[in-house]
Amino acid sequence: MSTGAPPVRRLDAASSAELHRTAGEILAAFGTSATSPELLRRIAVSAADLAGTIREHLRPVDTDDGLFVLRGLTVDDTRIGPTPASWAEAGDSAAGHDIVMLLLAAAMGNPIAWKGQQGGRFVHNIVPAVGHEQAQTGASSDILLSPHTEDAFHPGRAHLLMLGCMRNHDNIATTAASIRKVRLEDADIATLSRPELPILPDDAYFEAQGFAGEPPDVPTLWRSEDGLTLRFDPAYTPLEKATPAYRAAYERLEAELARVSVAVSLSPGEVLVVDNDLVVHGRVPFKARYDGTDRWLKRASVRVPGRGTRPPAEDAEHGYGQAVTKAYAA
């Protein structure tokens, strides 16, 4: 795994101040970051009014890295308070930063939420939680969080994933690997482009795991107009049901993603923006202390209206009964 520097887009002091000031005004007006239709309308108007320099930094991912780090925002380690013990206990912790994340998300597309995850909030708190140390979810700590595309089981998954750092005293790295940097034989690409296996809901979606419908087989790879893309979550893909040829091709893909993987250790105020059709992300293991100083990220998901990078067959998928809530009708 490489520790090479990811592409960086740096906000100047004036742009950072504008984002924090706008978020503060919105938070003062609504008193919470728990979204309502009224708050979301205000977010949309404010995002549209952001300075052109900010919006330029939020242009689409434009390199084969499939990601960038936005720098220049600030986080006061004392003012945000202790790292929450779990997402369920986070509430409005560091609510001003939730609003900043929503402003960024709305400037890039349409923020989405899941009715079955983190209380339907549009901004999630990613913190280690007691009892989840070994889980393949963001609440884990002791194990490697396997590289995956976000919410790969669902056709309504995000086009863009945002991870904003509140606290990372231990320099714990997010891992990331772009499909545009791997080397695969054409035969492996053809094999993995066939819909041979389903991707099942992960442990963060308890209700979806009990869905009665037949899991749809989906392709791992496909070619969009601008290049190769993927849908990938080996921890929730029943590879034991695949043909030997498919398993072998899948293993070669995993090995290639590991080869090109980079480690991104976010500092407070930095936001990692990942193209969810190009990049798998994960996290290295760490030992949680549960003393209020553990790693703390904010997560937001974005759909990009009109983006046509996915197979049309996804439109027929049931999504295991999980409903996506879009911030704005589109």
Side-chain angles (χ1 to χ4, degrees):
M1 182 187 301
S2 169
T3 56
V8 172
R9 301 179 186 178
R10 189 181 299 275
L11 294 167
D12 59 28
S15 297
S16 175
E18 179 181 349
L19 281 162
H20 285 297
R21 181 178 63 253
T22 302
E25 291 169 353
I26 294 171
L27 184 60
F30 290 90
T32 180
S33 60
T35 44
S36 63
E38 294 77 19
L39 188 150
L40 289 170
R41 282 194 289 270
R42 176 71 175 273
I43 292 284
V45 171
S46 297
D49 289 340
L50 291 173
T53 53
I54 297 175
R55 300 183 69 83
E56 169 62 17
H57 283 307
L58 301 176
R59 67 189 183 276
V61 172
D62 53 9
T63 72
D64 283 346
D65 299 277
L67 55 81
F68 64 86
V69 174
L70 185 70
R71 286 184 181 157
L73 296 169
T74 59
V75 173
D76 187 315
D77 191 70
T78 301
R79 290 187 63 184
I80 63 173
T83 299
S86 69
W87 73 262
E89 297 182 35
D92 273 337
S93 299
H97 295 280
D98 291 353
I99 303 297
V100 170
M101 292 287 284
L102 281 171
L103 286 167
L104 297 174
M108 291 189 288
N110 197 342
I112 63 172
W114 300 88
K115 292 182 179 178
Q117 192 178 33
Q118 295 214 9
R121 282 182 174 258
F122 281 80
V123 179
H124 296 168
N125 288 282
I126 307 302
V127 296
V130 173
H132 294 266
E133 290 85 355
Q134 300 286 325
Q136 279 295 320
T137 69
S140 68
S141 51
D142 285 355
I143 61 170
L144 175 75
L145 182 60
S146 297
H148 61 283
T149 50
E150 189 73 0
D151 299 319
F153 75 96
H154 202 283
R157 64 196 179 280
H159 292 116
L160 301 174
L161 174 70
M162 302 167 55
L163 297 173
C165 182
M166 297 293 99
R167 177 174 289 130
N168 192 13
H169 292 171
D170 304 302
N171 295 316
I172 297 158
T174 298
T175 62
S178 171
I179 189 63
R180 299 284 170 84
K181 293 198 167 189
V182 305
R183 295 195 295 262
L184 287 175
E185 298 291 338
D186 288 344
D188 283 343
I189 294 173
T191 296
L192 295 173
S193 296
R194 298 197 301 265
E196 184 160 326
L197 295 174
I199 300 176
L200 304 175
D202 65 56
D203 290 343
Y205 294 91
F206 179 75
E207 290 183 1
Q209 290 181 332
F211 186 72
E214 185 69 19
D217 292 337
V218 300
T220 299
L221 302 177
W222 64 93
R223 294 190 185 277
S224 63
E225 290 183 359
D226 62 349
L228 197 61
T229 53
L230 85 167
R231 183 178 182 180
F232 185 80
D233 195 347
Y236 295 95
T237 299
L239 290 165
E240 69 279 0
K241 298 181 179 179
T243 63
Y246 194 95
R247 281 200 303 274
Y250 199 98
E251 288 170 2
R252 285 190 286 271
L253 171 61
E254 287 188 287
E256 274 296 291
L257 290 169
R259 183 182 66 82
V260 302
S261 181
V262 296
V264 183
S265 181
L266 294 173
S267 297
E270 293 183 338
V271 180
L272 175 63
V273 179
V274 170
D275 188 314
N276 199 40
D277 286 337
L278 302 187
V279 172
V280 297
H281 70 281
R283 191 216 60 244
V284 301
F286 67 100
K287 192 64 179 177
R289 292 182 294 272
Y290 306 120
D291 62 355
T293 67
D294 283 320
R295 177 179 183 259
W296 178 9
L297 303 182
K298 298 280 188 179
R299 180 177 66 199
S301 298
V302 183
R303 293 273 297 181
V304 180
R307 181 168 173 172
T309 55
R310 294 177 179 167
E314 290 194 9
D315 293 341
E317 293 180 26
H318 52 57
Y320 299 87
Q322 292 301 289
V324 177
T325 304
K326 297 180 181 179
Y328 318 113

